[in-house]
Amino acid sequence: MKFSYKILLWMIVVMALALGFSGYYLVNYVFETSLSREVGQALDESSILGFAFETAALNVPSKYTVLPDSTVEEIASRLETGGQSARRMLRISDEEKNVLYVSDGFTAGEDLLGQLGVDIKAHEVIASGDKYYIHTGTSVNALGRVLYLETMRDVSVVFQERAVGFSLYRRVTLVMLLAGTIIMHFISSLLTKPIRLLTRATKRMAAGDYSYRARQISRDELGQLTRDFNRMAKALKKNIEKLEEEIEAREEFMGAFAHELKTPLTAIIGYADMLRSHKLDEEKSFLSANYIYTEGKRLEAMSFRLLDIIVTGKNKADMQKILTADIFLYLQEMFAGTREMDFTFTCEPGEVLAEINLIKTVLVNLIDNACKASEPGGSIEIEGRVTEAGYAFSVRDHGIGIPEKEQRKITKAFYMVDKSRARSKNGAGLGLALCAEILKIHHSELQIESRAGEGSCFRFVLPDCTKGGAAEKAVPDPQEGQGRQGEQDQDGDKT
C-alpha cells in the first residue's frame, strides 16, 4: 500500500472515531439535559399535585374525622382532569399501599411504590410500548391519613429527539467523512510528493542517469531530505566519474606501457638476432650493440620510474623541517656545469615541511624536463620564494612549450606531447607522473603555465615553517664547492 494511502486511511479512521465519540457525547449531552429538565418538571408537578390534594382534603365537611376512600377518589378524579396541561395519569394508594384510585393508561409497576415512605420521594424512567414515561411518587397527609400519590409524565418526545439527533449526526458524519477523505487525499498527496520525487530520482539514478536531481518543493524535513539526497547524488556522480576516469587512465596506462615495452624490445631483439646470425663489420656491430644498450637503459629507467610511482603512491612522506638553501645547493651541484644550459638559481632563505629526498626528486625531474624541452645553451631559471600560501618553488624554461589542450594530460603516465623528441632523449613520459604523486602526499599540486613555442613554468607550494619573508639571495657558484657532481637518469619528459 502506498504511503499516501496509509496516511489517508489512518486519517479517515481518526476522523471517524473523533466524529463518532464527539457526536455520541453531544447528542447524549442534549438528551440528558432535556431528560433532567423533564424529571425536574415531573417532580415539581408531583409536589404541586400533592399540595393540591392536601388542600382539597381540608375542604371536606367537618363531619368526617378521617378522609373516606370515596372522597379520595373524588379528589383524585378532579386532579386528573384539572389544570391546563393534558390529562394527567395518577395512582393513589392507602397506608397499606393498596390502590384506591388509578387513571386509565397508568401502566407503571409497583416497584417504585414499594420504595415510598413518609416524606420520601422517588422517581424512575420507564418504557411502555413505544413510549417513555417519568414515574414519580410522593406521600400525602390528609385528615390523619398517609396516602401515596404516583404520577406518569410522557417524555417520549425527548427520546424521539435523541433518535433524530443520532440519525442526523450519522448523516452529517458520513458527509464530513466523505469531504474529509477528499481533502485528506489532496493533503496526503501534497505531503508525500517529495517522497514520490525522491523515488523517481532513485529510479533514474538506478537506470544510470546520475545527473538527474530530485526537485525540492518544501523547506521542512522532507525538503532537507531532498537536499541531502541531491548532495549524495552529486558526490556519487563525482565518485563514479572519478572511477571511470581511473579505469580509463588504467586502460590507457596499460596500452601505453605495452607500447613502450614493445617498441624497444622489438628493436633489441632485431639487433640482437642480427648480431647472432650475421657476421657484421666492426662499425655495424658497434651501432647494433649501442642501440641495444641505449634501448636497454631506457627500459631500465622506465622500470625504475614505475617502481617509484608505485612505492610513492602507497607510502606516506616522513615530514621534516628542511632548509631551502640546502635543497638549492644540492640542485646546483647536480646540474651546474653538467649540461650545456644556462642555469640561474635564486633562493629566498626559508624552511619547509617535507621529505627532502622526495622533494629533490621532484625538482630534479622538473629541471631535467626543462633541459629536454630547451635547445643547447637555453636559459633555465630555478626559483624559491616565500609567499602568503607558503614556500613556492618554480622551474622555468624558454623551450618548445606545451599546447594548452595538452596541459591537463601531461601528468599521466606515458603521456608525451612530442613522442619522437622524448624518445630521442630516453624519455618514457613518467617523470611528471612521479612528480604529481610525490606532491599529492605532500598535500600540494603541480601548477603549469605554458604556451607553445614560448616555454613553460612549473610551480608547487610547500608549507613554510618560518615567519615573515626574507630578502632574495643568490646561491653560491657551485664551481666553488666540491660537492657530488654527476648526472642521474631522472627522466621527466615534457608530457
Side-chain angles (χ1 to χ4, degrees):
M1 182 182 292
K2 291 184 177 180
F3 183 66
S4 60
Y5 293 163
K6 290 183 179 180
I7 294 178
L8 178 62
L9 179 61
W10 278 108
M11 288 306 300
I12 291 174
V13 172
V14 172
M15 285 179 60
L17 291 175
L19 291 173
F21 282 114
S22 61
Y24 178 81
Y25 174 79
L26 178 63
V27 173
N28 268 286
Y29 175 77
V30 174
F31 168 74
E32 295 291 342
T33 302
S34 299
L35 186 60
S36 296
R37 183 176 64 251
E38 292 293 335
V39 169
Q41 291 177 357
L43 292 174
D44 291 342
E45 185 179 18
S46 177
S47 298
I48 293 172
L49 288 176
F51 179 75
F53 189 92
E54 292 175 350
T55 302
L58 293 176
N59 295 325
V60 174
S62 58
K63 63 179 181 178
Y64 297 106
T65 56
V66 177
L67 189 65
D69 293 342
S70 59
T71 304
V72 170
E73 293 177 4
E74 182 182 352
I75 295 173
S77 177
R78 288 202 302 267
L79 291 177
E80 180 181 351
T81 57
Q84 299 178 352
S85 62
R87 174 175 171 271
R88 302 186 181 96
M89 290 186 289
L90 307 174
R91 184 169 67 183
I92 298 179
S93 304
D94 60 10
E95 294 85 342
E96 303 299 328
K97 297 185 179 179
N98 296 317
V99 177
L100 300 177
Y101 179 85
V102 61
S103 301
D104 294 337
F106 195 99
T107 57
E110 297 183 357
D111 293 339
L112 183 66
L113 181 60
Q115 301 175 18
L116 296 178
V118 179
D119 297 330
I120 294 177
K121 296 181 179 181
H123 73 276
E124 64 179 354
V125 178
I126 61 174
S128 179
D130 58 349
K131 292 188 175 183
Y132 294 88
Y133 300 91
I134 298 176
H135 179 201
T136 65
T138 185
S139 62
V140 177
N141 295 315
L143 292 178
R145 298 188 66 179
V146 177
L147 304 176
Y148 297 100
L149 173 65
E150 298 175 79
T151 64
M152 284 181 62
R153 181 183 179 87
D154 189 353
V155 291
S156 300
V157 175
V158 176
F159 285 86
Q160 290 173 2
E161 288 176 351
R162 183 177 71 166
V164 171
F166 278 129
S167 177
L168 177 62
Y169 200 83
R170 281 194 293 269
R171 290 195 294 271
V172 171
T173 299
L174 289 176
V175 172
M176 292 184 68
L177 283 176
L178 180 60
T181 300
I182 296 173
I183 295 173
M184 284 307 304
H185 178 68
F186 173 75
I187 294 175
S188 63
S189 298
L190 186 64
L191 290 176
T192 57
K193 187 175 181 180
I195 299 178
R196 294 197 300 274
L197 294 176
L198 285 173
T199 302
R200 184 184 306 168
T202 303
K203 291 180 179 178
R204 292 283 294 271
M205 292 185 65
D209 187 3
Y210 299 106
S211 62
Y212 187 82
R213 296 292 180 269
R215 183 163 57 94
Q216 182 180 344
I217 60 174
S218 64
R219 297 183 179 274
D220 53 10
E221 291 82 357
L222 290 177
Q224 181 63 42
L225 178 62
T226 301
R227 290 194 295 272
D228 294 341
F229 178 86
N230 288 336
R231 282 196 290 266
M232 180 196 70
K234 184 178 180 180
L236 179 62
K237 182 182 178 183
K238 288 183 178 180
N239 290 335
I240 291 175
E241 290 176 349
K242 184 178 179 181
L243 289 174
E244 290 176 349
E245 291 177 357
E246 289 179 356
I247 292 173
E248 182 181 359
R250 189 176 301 171
E251 291 176 351
E252 292 178 357
F253 178 88
M254 295 302 295
F257 182 63
H259 178 76
E260 291 298 325
L261 286 179
K262 179 181 177 181
T263 302
L265 284 177
T266 301
I268 289 172
I269 293 172
Y271 278 103
D273 182 64
M274 186 168 59
L275 287 173
R276 184 188 65 173
S277 58
H278 297 82
K279 186 175 182 181
L280 304 176
D281 57 33
E282 184 177 354
E283 182 180 357
K284 289 183 178 180
S285 297
F286 175 77
L287 290 176
S288 299
N290 184 65
Y291 190 87
I292 292 173
Y293 174 80
T294 302
E295 290 300 302
K297 292 294 290 183
R298 192 163 77 86
L299 285 177
E300 180 187 39
M302 183 172 62
S303 300
F304 284 138
R305 285 294 169 79
L306 283 173
L307 182 61
D308 287 341
I309 291 175
I310 293 172
V311 172
T312 302
K314 292 184 178 181
N315 289 275
K316 296 182 178 179
D318 183 14
M319 302 296 187
Q320 295 179 351
K321 292 182 180 180
I322 306 167
L323 293 175
T324 56
D326 294 340
I327 298 175
F328 275 79
L329 184 60
Y330 169 81
L331 295 176
Q332 285 182 317
E333 294 175 352
M334 174 68 70
F335 287 98
T338 62
R339 304 196 185 193
E340 298 177 355
M341 296 293 173
D342 182 14
F343 292 100
T344 301
F345 293 88
T346 306
C347 169
E348 287 185 5
E351 192 175 30
V352 296
L353 187 65
E355 183 171 330
I356 187 167
N357 290 327
L358 293 180
I359 295 303
K360 286 179 179 178
T361 300
V362 172
L363 290 169
V364 167
N365 274 282
L366 294 179
I367 297 172
D368 190 57
N369 255 18
C371 293
K372 292 176 181 179
S374 304
E375 298 297 332
S379 174
I380 298 176
E381 302 159 7
I382 302 94
E383 181 183 10
R385 59 190 179 88
V386 178
T387 66
E388 292 183 0
Y391 196 91
F393 294 87
S394 64
V395 176
R396 182 184 298 274
D397 66 71
H398 303 276
I400 60 174
I402 306 169
E404 184 177 354
K405 64 179 181 179
E406 306 287 347
Q407 292 179 15
R408 292 179 63 253
K409 306 176 184 178
I410 60 175
T411 55
K412 293 183 179 180
F414 295 111
Y415 188 83
M416 293 174 281
V417 177
D418 189 346
K419 297 183 184 295
S420 60
R421 182 182 181 93
R423 288 197 180 98
S424 68
K425 298 189 178 184
N426 290 333
L430 293 171
L432 291 179
L434 177 60
C435 292
E437 290 294 332
I438 292 174
L439 292 177
K440 186 183 297 183
I441 65 177
H442 281 80
H443 305 290
S444 182
E445 61 179 354
L446 197 61
Q447 302 171 7
I448 304 166
E449 295 178 7
S450 181
R451 295 183 65 180
E454 297 182 10
S456 305
C457 180
F458 292 83
R459 293 189 181 91
F460 63 91
V461 179
L462 295 178
D464 184 15
C465 300
T466 60
K467 294 182 180 179
E472 189 177 270
K473 173 185 176 182
V475 180
D477 188 345
Q479 299 298 332
E480 299 176 1
Q482 299 296 325
R484 177 174 58 90
Q485 294 191 11
E487 182 177 352
Q488 295 183 356
D489 188 6
Q490 297 287 349
D491 176 26
D493 313 304
K494 283 288 184 185
T495 56

